[in-house]
Amino acid sequence: REKDAHPHRRVRRRTLWAISTIVLVPVLTAMVGYGLLLAFTMSEAANSTLDPELFERLRPGQERAEVEALLPDRELHPGTHTPDAWPEDPEGQECRYYRSSADVVSGEDDRFRLCFDPDRLVSVEVLPW
């Protein structure tokens, strides 16, 4: 192959390659990270959704085992955007949190809190969101 008659072309190509790499690697990394975060959020929403009709049928005093058999696989993680929005668990009770819809985009779903003592459902409430 004949040597490049214009050495500046090679330098220009390498420079464009370097600039493209410097710009594209962070952009692609951010896009992949956002996609993974969105997939995780949607998965959590799907697995922590308590049907509102079922929620309406829950009553304090029901046996804990009976209620737990009806609940979703996972409870809602409070996340970092609402650290003080949810009340503390009452003493001697364990509270679980769920959402009313798996739709993560609209923001129009409710947050449900169910509190249990060792044997029974103690309280059922909709939290302000």
Side-chain angles (χ1 to χ4, degrees):
R1 179 177 137 163
E2 191 176 313
K3 279 199 162 199
D4 195 353
H6 301 284
H8 295 292
R9 285 186 190 170
R10 188 173 4 168
V11 170
R12 195 175 340 179
R13 273 192 308 250
R14 286 185 179 175
T15 302
L16 287 173
W17 174 254
I19 290 172
S20 298
T21 302
I22 289 170
V23 170
L24 287 177
V25 167
V27 168
L28 290 175
T29 301
M31 289 173 63
V32 168
Y34 179 75
L36 290 172
L37 180 63
L38 185 59
F40 173 77
T41 301
M42 292 175 72
S43 171
E44 181 180 272
N47 291 313
S48 64
T49 298
L50 177 60
D51 186 294
E53 290 178 12
L54 174 60
F55 175 79
E56 290 297 324
R57 293 194 318 254
L58 297 176
R59 298 286 178 254
Q62 287 179 281
E63 289 187 31
R64 182 176 183 152
E66 173 190 335
V67 174
E68 286 179 336
L70 303 172
L71 298 177
D73 294 335
R74 293 173 44 191
E75 63 181 291
L76 182 62
H77 184 273
T80 57
H81 61 283
T82 58
D84 299 322
W86 293 358
E88 288 188 31
D89 291 356
E91 191 171 328
Q93 296 178 14
E94 176 189 346
C95 296
R96 296 188 184 170
Y97 300 86
Y98 300 95
R99 53 188 305 133
S100 65
S101 169
D103 181 5
V104 296
V105 179
S106 71
E108 296 180 12
D109 56 325
D110 290 320
R111 300 299 191 257
F112 301 139
R113 180 169 101 149
L114 309 177
C115 295
F116 298 90
D117 69 12
D119 301 317
R120 303 226 172 255
L121 178 62
V122 177
S123 67
V124 179
E125 60 188 318
V126 178
L127 296 177
W129 181 241

mmCIF file of all heavy atoms in Angstrom, residues 81-87 127-129:
data_model
loop_
_atom_site.group_PDB
_atom_site.id
_atom_site.type_symbol
_atom_site.label_atom_id
_atom_site.label_comp_id
_atom_site.label_asym_id
_atom_site.label_seq_id
_atom_site.Cartn_x
_atom_site.Cartn_y
_atom_site.Cartn_z
ATOM 1 N N HIS A 81 -36.860 9.045 47.564
ATOM 2 C CA HIS A 81 -37.578 10.303 47.372
ATOM 3 C C HIS A 81 -38.651 10.550 48.431
ATOM 4 O O HIS A 81 -39.232 11.611 48.467
ATOM 5 C CB HIS A 81 -38.199 10.345 45.976
ATOM 6 C CG HIS A 81 -39.186 9.254 45.728
ATOM 7 N ND1 HIS A 81 -38.805 7.968 45.464
ATOM 8 C CD2 HIS A 81 -40.528 9.257 45.719
ATOM 9 C CE1 HIS A 81 -39.869 7.227 45.299
ATOM 10 N NE2 HIS A 81 -40.928 7.974 45.447
ATOM 11 N N THR A 82 -38.932 9.586 49.288
ATOM 12 C CA THR A 82 -39.952 9.779 50.321
ATOM 13 C C THR A 82 -39.471 9.303 51.694
ATOM 14 O O THR A 82 -40.165 8.564 52.367
ATOM 15 C CB THR A 82 -41.233 9.005 49.960
ATOM 16 O OG1 THR A 82 -40.889 7.623 49.811
ATOM 17 C CG2 THR A 82 -41.889 9.511 48.718
ATOM 18 N N PRO A 83 -38.272 9.705 52.129
ATOM 19 C CA PRO A 83 -37.759 9.148 53.382
ATOM 20 C C PRO A 83 -38.595 9.488 54.608
ATOM 21 O O PRO A 83 -38.678 8.706 55.539
ATOM 22 C CB PRO A 83 -36.359 9.744 53.492
ATOM 23 C CG PRO A 83 -36.408 10.989 52.676
ATOM 24 C CD PRO A 83 -37.397 10.711 51.569
ATOM 25 N N ASP A 84 -39.246 10.657 54.640
ATOM 26 C CA ASP A 84 -40.004 11.063 55.820
ATOM 27 C C ASP A 84 -41.510 11.048 55.575
ATOM 28 O O ASP A 84 -42.281 11.401 56.455
ATOM 29 C CB ASP A 84 -39.585 12.475 56.247
ATOM 30 C CG ASP A 84 -38.107 12.530 56.616
ATOM 31 O OD1 ASP A 84 -37.620 11.562 57.224
ATOM 32 O OD2 ASP A 84 -37.454 13.531 56.280
ATOM 33 N N ALA A 85 -41.932 10.642 54.386
ATOM 34 C CA ALA A 85 -43.352 10.719 54.046
ATOM 35 C C ALA A 85 -44.163 9.610 54.696
ATOM 36 O O ALA A 85 -45.344 9.779 54.917
ATOM 37 C CB ALA A 85 -43.533 10.676 52.533
ATOM 38 N N TRP A 86 -43.547 8.499 54.999
ATOM 39 C CA TRP A 86 -44.293 7.381 55.574
ATOM 40 C C TRP A 86 -44.104 7.358 57.079
ATOM 41 O O TRP A 86 -43.001 7.536 57.584
ATOM 42 C CB TRP A 86 -43.831 6.073 54.973
ATOM 43 C CG TRP A 86 -44.181 5.956 53.515
ATOM 44 C CD1 TRP A 86 -44.861 6.857 52.752
ATOM 45 C CD2 TRP A 86 -43.853 4.884 52.645
ATOM 46 N NE1 TRP A 86 -44.978 6.400 51.473
ATOM 47 C CE2 TRP A 86 -44.368 5.189 51.378
ATOM 48 C CE3 TRP A 86 -43.174 3.694 52.821
ATOM 49 C CZ2 TRP A 86 -44.229 4.349 50.294
ATOM 50 C CZ3 TRP A 86 -43.038 2.851 51.731
ATOM 51 C CH2 TRP A 86 -43.570 3.184 50.481
ATOM 52 N N PRO A 87 -45.188 7.122 57.800
ATOM 53 C CA PRO A 87 -45.076 7.097 59.263
ATOM 54 C C PRO A 87 -44.275 5.884 59.740
ATOM 55 O O PRO A 87 -44.168 4.884 59.038
ATOM 56 C CB PRO A 87 -46.530 7.002 59.718
ATOM 57 C CG PRO A 87 -47.281 6.469 58.552
ATOM 58 C CD PRO A 87 -46.541 6.874 57.322
ATOM 59 N N LEU A 127 -51.997 5.737 52.268
ATOM 60 C CA LEU A 127 -51.075 6.801 52.647
ATOM 61 C C LEU A 127 -51.142 7.959 51.671
ATOM 62 O O LEU A 127 -51.369 7.755 50.474
ATOM 63 C CB LEU A 127 -49.629 6.268 52.673
ATOM 64 C CG LEU A 127 -49.347 5.190 53.696
ATOM 65 C CD1 LEU A 127 -47.900 4.722 53.546
ATOM 66 C CD2 LEU A 127 -49.579 5.696 55.097
ATOM 67 N N PRO A 128 -50.938 9.164 52.146
ATOM 68 C CA PRO A 128 -50.881 10.313 51.234
ATOM 69 C C PRO A 128 -49.655 10.167 50.327
ATOM 70 O O PRO A 128 -48.607 9.714 50.771
ATOM 71 C CB PRO A 128 -50.736 11.513 52.165
ATOM 72 C CG PRO A 128 -50.296 10.976 53.464
ATOM 73 C CD PRO A 128 -50.715 9.538 53.533
ATOM 74 N N TRP A 129 -49.799 10.538 49.108
ATOM 75 C CA TRP A 129 -48.689 10.376 48.153
ATOM 76 C C TRP A 129 -48.462 11.638 47.405
ATOM 77 O O TRP A 129 -49.172 12.288 46.810
ATOM 78 C CB TRP A 129 -49.025 9.218 47.231
ATOM 79 C CG TRP A 129 -47.992 8.926 46.224
ATOM 80 C CD1 TRP A 129 -48.178 8.983 44.872
ATOM 81 C CD2 TRP A 129 -46.644 8.500 46.390
ATOM 82 N NE1 TRP A 129 -47.040 8.619 44.216
ATOM 83 C CE2 TRP A 129 -46.078 8.318 45.127
ATOM 84 C CE3 TRP A 129 -45.845 8.259 47.495
ATOM 85 C CZ2 TRP A 129 -44.768 7.909 44.921
ATOM 86 C CZ3 TRP A 129 -44.545 7.848 47.287
ATOM 87 C CH2 TRP A 129 -44.024 7.676 46.012
#
